[in-house]
Amino acid sequence: MKSKRRYRCKSRMKSNKVNYIIIFAITAMFIIGIIFIYFGFNYKDNAKSIYNYTAQRNSGYVVLLKPNNFYTSEILPSGKYYASNSIKEFQINFNYNFKGNKKTEIYYKYNVIATLSGTISGSDNVNKEVWTRDFILIDDKNSEQSNIDEFTINEKANIDYAYYNNLVNSYEDTYDINIDANLQVALNVHYNLIDNQVDDCIKLNIPITNTVTEAKEDYEKITYKDIIQEAGANSINRIIFYVIGGLLIAGAIVTIIVRIKISKTQQTPEEEYNNNINRILKYYRDLIVTVTNKPDVDNLKIMNLYKLDDLIDVAEQNRNNIIHYEAIKNERSNLYVIVDEYAYIYVVTSQELK
């Protein structure tokens, strides 16, 4: 018995040592995998700015009035509300200034287009567009410069407000509907920059009404942009970090799953025995009585049973309890059902239950 206990103790110590090593390895794989993925993300910080530029936009304007007896000046400044029927035209001065941090090949073109649109309120209270028409005020103009670090566009556009107002009134009379009309006047700028196509614009929105109107800016005054280019080696290294990190984490997960399966199948004889007897005592606790003294069956006819189910059937058919006695601690238990001169016995060990 001492040698068996010594063997079980050594076996348990060896098993615990293996478990500690595996837990350490899994933890290390998770940590190292996360570190590799972190480094992969961090490689984005190594992307380099190869060019930066600033774009400044402005759209100053004045309003020219029709002859009238109410205003002391024929020109009104920007940023006000204006009586629609008093307006002769808007005179808009578009200014676009580009400034880069170094000279490079730049070819740009631009135009000025006015877009008249009409909307109505739908059943869902959302404005629906029913009409749109473009007017080319300044056709495409191309640059002649190339190796430069800055350029400036200055263009003037005159908006005959009465013309567009009359066009909207005619549309409403023709189709017998009332629309909300808006005239968007835009300087559109297009240029290539370090293999990037840049599309920019300066927009003013002018409502077309018979009451009052205004000119509303629809653009950012100034923007600062960086053109980023990543080195090919950085991109490859980042992918390598992702792959290694992902494989380590996946390996750790697979190891956990395999270890769980192995732990269920590779148990010590003592663990298998305790699992077997505890399962029986749990499922048939209303039928089993545990005793500390070995039942005296010497004068009875012994019937050794091969299956636990047979013992359960004998107990239930004869309305007897099953007597549980642990013959060898942590190794073997005997289950008895005594009926008249017969003793039915089933032995529980570390072997799989029948």
Side-chain angles (χ1 to χ4, degrees), residues 277-295:
I277 190 63
N278 289 335
R279 187 158 60 248
I280 293 171
L281 295 177
K282 177 182 178 181
Y283 290 155
Y284 302 104
R285 59 180 176 271
D286 295 335
L287 196 60
I288 296 176
V289 176
T290 300
V291 298
T292 57
N293 296 325
K294 181 180 179 180

Side-chain angles (χ1 to χ4, degrees), residues 73-88:
S73 174
E74 295 180 353
I75 301 176
L76 295 181
S78 61
K80 296 181 178 295
Y81 284 94
Y82 313 98
S84 298
N85 292 329
S86 71
I87 300 171
K88 178 181 179 182

Side-chain angles (χ1 to χ4, degrees), residues 22-32 252:
I22 292 175
I23 291 171
F24 175 79
I26 291 173
T27 304
M29 290 170 70
F30 266 117
I31 293 174
I32 296 173

Side-chain angles (χ1 to χ4, degrees), residues 87-259:
I87 300 171
K88 178 181 179 182
E89 67 180 28
F90 282 84
Q91 290 186 349
I92 304 172
N93 291 295
F94 289 110
N95 177 265
Y96 186 93
N97 183 262
F98 173 95
K99 176 67 176 177
N101 67 328
K102 60 184 177 182
K103 289 187 176 182
T104 187
E105 293 293 324
I106 302 176
Y107 295 93
Y108 65 90
K109 66 178 181 178
Y110 65 90
N111 58 39
V112 178
I113 295 178
T115 301
L116 182 62
S117 61
T119 61
I120 59 172
S121 179
S123 58
D124 53 359
N125 294 323
V126 176
N127 287 339
K128 311 287 186 179
E129 186 176 86
V130 295
W131 177 42
T132 183
R133 179 176 170 183
D134 289 335
F135 301 85
I136 298 176
L137 305 182
I138 298 175
D139 210 345
D140 287 346
K141 290 187 177 182
N142 298 307
S143 68
E144 296 180 357
Q145 298 169 300
S146 57
N147 190 30
I148 56 176
D149 59 358
E150 65 178 319
F151 65 84
T152 299
I153 299 172
N154 287 301
E155 284 292 348
K156 182 178 179 180
N158 294 333
I159 305 301
D160 186 345
Y161 189 85
Y163 169 77
Y164 296 106
N165 200 356
N166 291 335
L167 193 60
V168 170
N169 290 333
S170 176
Y171 181 91
E172 292 179 329
D173 292 340
T174 300
Y175 298 109
D176 194 25
I177 57 173
N178 293 321
I179 61 173
D180 293 321
N182 180 75
L183 184 69
Q184 184 178 86
V185 186
L187 169 70
N188 303 296
V189 185
H190 313 279
Y191 48 92
N192 65 302
L193 195 60
I194 318 293
D195 296 326
N196 289 271
Q197 178 64 41
V198 180
D199 298 312
D200 206 350
C201 62
I202 303 174
K203 294 179 182 178
L204 280 178
N205 290 311
I206 305 173
I208 304 298
T209 72
N210 289 316
T211 54
V212 295
T213 189
E214 60 178 326
K216 295 179 286 187
E217 295 177 346
D218 185 13
Y219 60 91
E220 288 185 79
K221 289 286 188 180
I222 183 170
T223 57
Y224 178 85
K225 297 278 187 176
D226 257 332
I227 295 179
I228 304 298
Q229 188 173 66
E230 299 180 13
N234 285 348
S235 179
I236 294 172
N237 289 337
R238 188 168 63 252
I239 293 172
I240 291 173
F241 276 121
Y242 288 153
V243 170
I244 294 176
L247 289 176
L248 285 171
I249 292 175
I253 295 172
V254 171
T255 304
I256 291 172
I257 295 172
V258 171
R259 187 58 189 169

Side-chain angles (χ1 to χ4, degrees), residues 287-288 295 297 300-303 305 308 310-324 334-346:
L287 196 60
I288 296 176
V297 295
L300 300 177
K301 295 178 180 179
I302 305 300
M303 306 294 289
L305 299 181
L308 175 63
D310 293 338
L311 187 72
I312 301 300
D313 290 340
V314 171
E316 290 180 341
Q317 290 172 7
N318 293 278
R319 297 184 180 180
N320 281 356
N321 287 109
I322 296 174
I323 300 171
H324 166 231
N334 294 337
L335 301 179
Y336 302 85
V337 174
I338 299 174
V339 180
D340 298 330
E341 72 272 18
Y342 294 94
Y344 299 89
I345 303 175
Y346 177 77

